[in-house]
Amino acid sequence: MNPIENHTQSARMGGGWNVKTVLWGLLPLLLLAAIIGFIAKVGTGIDGEAAAPIEQLNVERIIMNPDGFVVTLLNSGPEALTIAQTIVDDSFWNASYVPGPTLNRFERGTVTIPYPWVHGDPHQIKFITSNGLIFTGEVAVAALTPQPDSQRFFQYALIGFYVGIIPVGLGLLWYPFMRRFSIRGTQAVLAFTVGLLIFLAVDTFEEGFELAAKAPGVFQGTGLVWFGALLSLFFLLAVDQMNERRMDHVLREGRGVSYKLASGIGLHNLGEGLAIGAAFAAGEAALGTFLIIGFTLHNITEGVGIAAPLLKDKPTAKTFILLALIAGGPAILGTWTGGFLFNETLAALFFGIGAGAILQVIMVISRMIWKESIEHRIASVSWSNFVGLTLGILFMYVTAMLVKF
């Protein structure tokens, strides 16, 4: 086939772009829009009223100040609703509404309730709509809500530094010790890293699903976790394949993997910071302190995992500092967000993105183990690798118990 015939056949297959082609492409969309408009205007022809009104009011946040409660609400239902009464601890109470007692769909409102709450006591706030539906918000332990200021901003940053950067940096200090290992020992350390990541992936998904359950149902929080995970996984895989031709072997298999690993762990540590900041914002200082201690012990092993892909490389001090900042720095951002701007919907999405990034790193490190096994003619699933994988999961599991219990 000569070039002219090839071009002609390609033109026939592609069809070319012209006005007629564009109109054929738009015709199904125009017809679909017309059908939907007709159904919306005329209806389905089936008569009947709903047995009960469909309303959904989400209590997003309860702020406690010396004068009472300030509650942020979101109408996530399909129609507008009106708050008829407010009850605090089984007593009807006066309240002021901004922008008003009626909230349109997806509209947020603020309810200010002058109530003499008691420090350390639980309180319950109920909102009754004009249709008689009741929506509840609870305060487990009443305490003055911290106000955003420079001192609190610095304190949260210091907490994130303690939880994220310091333990990851301490784990990286094991790098000179690990360089003494043989090929089998190096593979066992990489398998240990995979074990750490498997636990982190499972834990990240669980945390995301817990937050998704608390988010407004209209945002489909569980779906956000899955979509965030899948899209971040495929995005990183696409970037990895795109860069394979541009990056040399050492960068791709050594420092490049460590940077990916640090990025995935950093997104996980962002979630840990969210938990700590939210605990302090809710006035649960004891819980927040316990989380700091537990996460600090938990994150030391992450530094070991980040250092493992570098065992055949010669990284500089700058590389280790950057890795510690990438993996641990997001804990600071998480603490700020959890303390001042916590949102269950966005947090669920962040956890999903983090889980996808961790899954991609698991694939990369597993591929490293497989390639080295072929190169040195040793088993990729050896007993030493199995032990390393198991120890990685157990290490994270035991240290996680310090946080959850």
Side-chain angles (χ1 to χ4, degrees):
M1 183 180 293
N2 59 50
I4 297 177
E5 292 175 344
N6 189 25
H7 176 75
T8 302
Q9 184 175 356
S10 299
R12 290 173 181 172
M13 293 176 65
W17 289 98
N18 51 46
V19 176
K20 185 177 180 180
T21 303
V22 173
L23 289 176
W24 275 113
L26 292 176
L27 180 60
L29 297 177
L30 294 174
L31 291 175
L32 178 63
I35 291 172
I36 293 176
F38 177 79
I39 294 174
K41 186 173 182 64
V42 177
T44 60
I46 300 176
D47 297 327
E49 297 182 358
I54 303 174
E55 294 179 335
Q56 184 61 49
L57 186 66
N58 296 98
V59 180
E60 291 194 317
R61 191 175 184 186
I62 300 176
I63 297 174
M64 286 165 283
N65 57 39
D67 298 324
F69 300 106
V70 179
V71 186
T72 303
L73 302 174
L74 170 66
N75 176 14
S76 60
E79 300 176 352
L81 61 79
T82 300
I83 302 172
Q85 295 174 320
T86 298
I87 300 176
V88 183
D89 295 338
D90 298 325
S91 298
F92 291 95
W93 214 263
N94 292 325
S96 58
Y97 306 91
V98 176
T102 300
L103 297 176
N104 295 318
R105 189 183 187 189
F106 295 139
E107 185 177 12
R108 282 184 171 83
T110 302
V111 182
T112 302
I113 309 170
Y115 185 82
W117 54 271
V118 180
H119 182 85
D121 284 1
H123 295 282
Q124 187 180 71
I125 304 173
K126 295 180 180 179
F127 299 98
I128 304 177
T129 68
S130 56
N131 288 316
L133 299 183
I134 301 175
F135 300 95
T136 304
E138 294 184 352
V139 177
V141 180
L144 194 65
T145 302
Q147 296 300 315
D149 54 32
S150 58
Q151 181 180 1
R152 179 70 60 170
F153 190 81
F154 175 76
Q155 288 173 341
Y156 282 165
L158 196 60
I159 289 171
F161 182 76
Y162 289 151
V163 170
I165 296 177
I166 286 182
V168 172
L170 291 177
L172 288 170
L173 290 178
W174 266 303
Y175 172 77
F177 170 72
M178 292 189 296
R179 288 207 67 182
R180 303 289 182 181
F181 293 168
S182 62
I183 294 296
R184 292 184 182 275
T186 301
Q187 284 210 342
V189 174
L190 289 173
F192 177 82
T193 302
V194 173
L196 301 179
L197 293 174
I198 289 175
F199 181 91
L200 287 177
V202 173
D203 185 65
T204 303
F205 272 118
E206 287 183 348
E207 295 286 348
F209 291 143
E210 287 181 9
L211 289 169
K214 300 177 183 178
V218 69
F219 296 127
Q220 305 177 55
T222 301
L224 284 178
V225 177
W226 285 116
F227 297 147
L230 292 174
L231 290 177
S232 69
L233 171 61
F234 293 138
F235 173 79
L236 292 172
L237 288 174
V239 171
D240 191 39
Q241 292 180 9
M242 181 182 65
N243 291 336
E244 277 188 1
R245 298 178 181 178
R246 303 178 184 177
M247 301 172 70
D248 58 85
H249 179 79
V250 174
L251 180 60
R252 179 160 48 89
E253 299 291 354
R255 279 171 291 170
V257 176
S258 288
Y259 280 120
K260 293 175 187 177
L261 180 53
S263 300
I265 289 176
L267 289 171
H268 177 82
N269 288 339
L270 174 70
E272 294 181 352
L274 287 172
I276 294 172
F280 280 103
E284 300 179 23
L287 174 60
T289 304
F290 196 64
L291 289 175
I292 292 172
I293 297 173
F295 284 140
T296 301
L297 294 173
H298 185 64
N299 292 345
I300 289 178
T301 52
E302 295 174 354
V304 178
I306 294 171
L310 297 171
L311 296 181
K312 290 187 177 182
D313 204 351
K314 295 181 180 179
T316 62
K318 180 181 178 181
T319 301
F320 286 115
I321 293 173
L322 285 175
L323 289 172
L325 290 175
I326 293 171
I332 299 176
L333 299 177
T335 307
W336 284 336
T337 305
F340 299 131
L341 303 170
F342 185 74
N343 183 294
E344 284 90 356
T345 304
L346 289 178
L349 177 61
F350 289 150
F351 272 105
I353 294 172
I358 293 170
L359 289 176
Q360 193 266 345
V361 180
I362 291 175
M363 295 173 63
V364 172
I365 297 179
S366 300
R367 187 175 61 181
M368 287 178 61
I369 296 174
W370 180 68
K371 286 183 177 180
E372 283 194 353
S373 299
I374 294 177
E375 181 181 348
H376 296 279
R377 296 182 178 180
I378 58 178
S380 58
V381 187
S382 62
W383 281 112
S384 58
N385 289 354
F386 175 75
V387 171
L389 178 74
T390 305
L391 287 177
I393 296 175
L394 287 177
F395 250 84
M396 299 299 281
Y397 183 83
V398 172
T399 53
M401 291 177 64
L402 300 173
V403 180
K404 297 183 181 296
F405 301 102

